[in-house]
Amino acid sequence: MSFNTTDYRTKFTMETFGFLPELTADEIYDQIVYLINQGWAPSIEHDTPANIQATYWDMWKLPFFGMRDPNAVLAEIEECRREYPDHMIRVVGYDNYTQCKGHEFVVYKPRGM
């Protein structure tokens, strides 16, 4: 599938910040802090680039209910990246009150993406 990357109306996006440049490490950390401060459970999902348009990605472990340490989430992201270096990885903030995603953003893209 080919997209014109200079036209926002035809740019393929996958998540909340899809139209922005890739997040830096500090920005990823800040977003994890934000979703934890909202009371959302951080979760990590991954999938192959060929399947990224699917509604559901594979979960890396269960959502981290009650986790308050953003560095622990970053360590899990790194562990997932080592295990699946050819997969895209995103962080999701699950709202257990509304039982839906409150936030999601891509944190890793394999080379060539």
Side-chain angles (χ1 to χ4, degrees), residues 20-79:
L20 300 175
E22 290 188 30
L23 297 175
T24 66
D26 288 339
E27 290 169 333
I28 290 170
Y29 181 88
D30 290 343
Q31 290 304 312
I32 293 169
V33 168
Y34 171 78
L35 68 90
I36 289 172
N37 286 341
Q38 298 307 305
W40 299 332
S43 181
I44 299 169
E45 299 179 345
H46 63 94
D47 215 332
T48 62
N51 198 39
I52 58 174
Q53 291 185 2
T55 303
Y56 300 105
W57 289 20
D58 296 329
M59 292 184 82
W60 172 258
K61 303 182 181 179
L62 293 173
F64 304 113
F65 294 107
M67 182 175 285
R68 305 291 303 160
D69 181 8
N71 290 311
V73 178
L74 291 172
E76 291 291 341
I77 292 168
E78 183 57 29
E79 188 177 336

